[in-house]
Amino acid sequence: MHATDLPCPQSKGRQKSADSCPTPSAGKPAAKKPAAKKPTANKQAPQKPRRKKQAAKKPRPKKQAVRKPSGGRPAGCPPCQSALGKTAAKEPAAKKQMPRKPRPKKEAAKKPRPKKQAAMKPGGGRPAACPPCRPGTKKPSSQKPSAQPPSTTKPPAKKKQLKADHGWSWQGLTIDAADLRKVNVFLARAKKAERTISPQVRSLARKTKATMVGFNERKRSPESIKRSVARDMQNNPSETMDDALDKVYNSVRYILQWPDASYVKGVKDSTKMLAKWKNANLRWSNTWARARGYKGINTAWRANNSGHPYELQFHTPKSQAAQKRSSKLYEEAHHPRTTGSRRAQLQNQMNRNYASVPCPAGAQLLSAPRRRAMVRPGVTTL
């Protein structure tokens, strides 16, 4: 018998009717069918490379691998029609599912296109044929940065130029730019000198058992000093700024207070200590002998360490209370716009405040200590 007359062993187990295995002549076209399928797979591979990966994931080779060991089909026997039908039925189902998956991917690929166009807009260079875009998006971007820098940089520069060029002015009192620079140097020197003067005054109060009043207000405000200097130069037109600043003794000021019984002893001990520390006395004003007006002793000293002047006032509790009540009246009386009649009223009110202050025994006889020569760079005081 020939090999063609043998029945197909696989067909006996699965089909009831005894189908004969195809002849070798019929096997040749069956072998051509998979050859015809290969080009179809090759056509799909370059167009959609992702389908190959999905097709490899399907368990097609597993089914064939299981069938080969189970059946005893000869090596030259082509696959049965039942197997071919199953594969042919599965292929169109895979083809229907495959095109559905990449559709959302195409949409996702279309979304970043407007981003590229948005990135090209700031680059400029729009073609002539391109219709003009709405300027609402470009103009604010170009105008906003141009509007912000002048607001942050130009106004401060203008303010600095005004202060440097026009100096200082307040209610009719003026200081030009050159004199204002001298005032600023004086204020800086006073701020630095206060750091060495305050420890000496504190030590003086501790040793003489005095009470320091208004220590937080020991530094006079810059505006108050400018008003005082400008008023002095206005009253004395021939006076220079250096002369006016030499009269300012109270840029740094302190107040020492003793009871009436120990007031005279406290003033004497403090002046001796200041002279011992080589602080030169510049001014001594004792007003306890006055019948009206301010009561107390106002002194000015020049610090040995810095050479800067400072004011030191000696008071009793009642004289200090009267000074506190009269401070606002004194400022209003020395205001440039205060009339003469109003100034007289203010002075009478201050006299009434000091009239009730008793004079400590022997306070009107207190005098300034003997001055000692003190040499500063370029200045000599006696």
Side-chain angles (χ1 to χ4, degrees):
M1 294 177 66
H2 296 283
T4 55
D5 296 335
L6 294 174
C8 183
Q10 187 176 2
S11 60
K12 288 181 180 181
R14 293 185 181 180
Q15 298 180 2
K16 293 181 182 181
S17 61
D19 295 335
S20 60
C21 185
T23 59
S25 61
K28 292 180 180 178
K32 290 180 181 179
K33 288 181 181 179
K37 291 179 182 179
K38 289 180 180 178
T40 56
N42 294 332
K43 291 179 181 180
Q44 293 177 358
Q47 293 178 357
K48 298 179 181 179
R50 296 180 181 175
R51 292 183 182 178
K52 289 183 178 181
K53 295 180 181 179
Q54 295 177 357
K57 293 179 182 178
K58 293 182 178 180
R60 290 181 183 178
K62 293 181 181 179
K63 292 180 180 180
Q64 294 177 2
V66 174
R67 289 177 184 176
K68 286 179 182 179
S70 62
R73 188 172 67 243
C77 183
C80 299
Q81 293 179 356
S82 60
L84 293 172
K86 291 180 180 180
T87 56
K90 290 180 180 178
E91 286 179 358
K95 290 180 181 178
K96 291 180 181 179
Q97 293 177 358
M98 292 302 291
R100 292 179 183 175
K101 293 181 179 178
R103 288 179 183 176
K105 294 180 180 179
K106 291 181 180 179
E107 294 177 357
K110 291 179 181 179
K111 290 180 180 179
R113 290 180 183 177
K115 293 182 180 179
K116 293 180 180 180
Q117 294 177 359
M120 292 171 66
K121 286 180 181 179
R126 186 175 66 237
C130 181
C133 300
R134 293 181 180 178
T137 57
K138 289 184 180 180
K139 287 184 180 179
S141 62
S142 60
Q143 290 178 357
K144 284 182 180 178
S146 62
Q148 289 178 356
S151 62
T152 55
T153 56
K154 289 184 180 179
K158 289 181 180 178
K159 289 180 181 179
K160 290 180 181 179
Q161 289 178 0
L162 289 173
K163 289 183 179 180
D165 297 341
H166 300 281
W168 175 88
S169 62
W170 179 79
Q171 296 184 357
L173 300 175
T174 59
I175 300 176
D176 58 9
D179 291 341
L180 183 60
R181 285 193 291 271
K182 294 180 180 180
V183 175
N184 293 332
V185 171
F186 177 82
L187 294 173
R189 188 168 64 248
K191 184 179 180 180
K192 184 178 180 181
E194 182 271 332
R195 300 172 185 173
T196 58
I197 297 172
S198 295
Q200 285 188 358
V201 178
R202 281 182 171 181
S203 177
L204 183 66
R206 184 173 61 256
K207 291 181 179 181
T208 59
K209 298 180 181 181
T211 303
M212 294 192 71
V213 181
F215 182 76
N216 295 333
E217 300 176 356
R218 61 191 180 278
K219 290 186 289 186
R220 190 176 175 184
S221 65
E223 293 297 321
S224 177
I225 294 175
K226 292 175 184 177
R227 289 194 297 268
S228 177
V229 172
R231 189 182 298 112
D232 191 6
M233 293 183 67
Q234 187 177 19
N235 297 334
N236 302 313
S238 61
E239 192 175 55
T240 62
M241 178 57 68
D242 295 333
D243 297 337
L245 290 174
D246 288 340
K247 296 180 182 179
V248 179
Y249 297 144
N250 58 356
S251 59
V252 184
R253 53 192 176 182
Y254 305 90
I255 298 174
L256 297 181
Q257 176 181 301
W258 295 273
D260 293 356
S262 59
Y263 177 79
V264 175
K265 184 178 183 301
V267 173
K268 289 181 179 180
D269 293 342
S270 60
T271 54
K272 289 180 181 179
M273 288 183 184
L274 290 173
K276 185 179 180 180
W277 294 340
K278 298 181 180 180
N279 291 321
N281 180 253
L282 302 178
R283 188 182 64 177
W284 185 277
S285 176
N286 188 349
T287 58
W288 284 110
R290 288 183 181 178
R292 295 182 301 175
Y294 180 82
K295 300 292 180 66
I297 299 176
N298 289 3
T299 63
W301 305 79
R302 191 180 298 280
N304 183 28
N305 295 331
S306 60
H308 190 79
Y310 65 95
E311 185 182 61
L312 187 60
Q313 299 179 9
F314 303 131
H315 279 284
T316 62
K318 291 185 178 180
S319 65
Q320 172 59 27
Q323 183 189 25
K324 190 174 182 180
R325 292 194 302 269
S326 304
S327 60
K328 293 183 178 179
L329 302 176
Y330 180 84
E331 292 178 1
E332 185 180 356
H334 288 78
H335 197 276
R337 294 185 179 181
T338 303
T339 60
S341 59
R342 176 59 180 167
R343 189 175 290 106
Q345 293 176 2
L346 295 171
Q347 186 62 41
N348 293 332
Q349 190 174 354
M350 286 188 289
N351 293 338
R352 288 193 295 271
N353 293 337
Y354 289 108
S356 60
V357 177
C359 177
Q364 68 275 13
L365 300 177
L366 294 172
S367 59
R370 186 178 178 182
R371 293 186 181 183
R372 292 185 179 182
M374 182 178 177
V375 178
R376 291 188 303 156
V379 179
T380 303
T381 59
L382 298 177

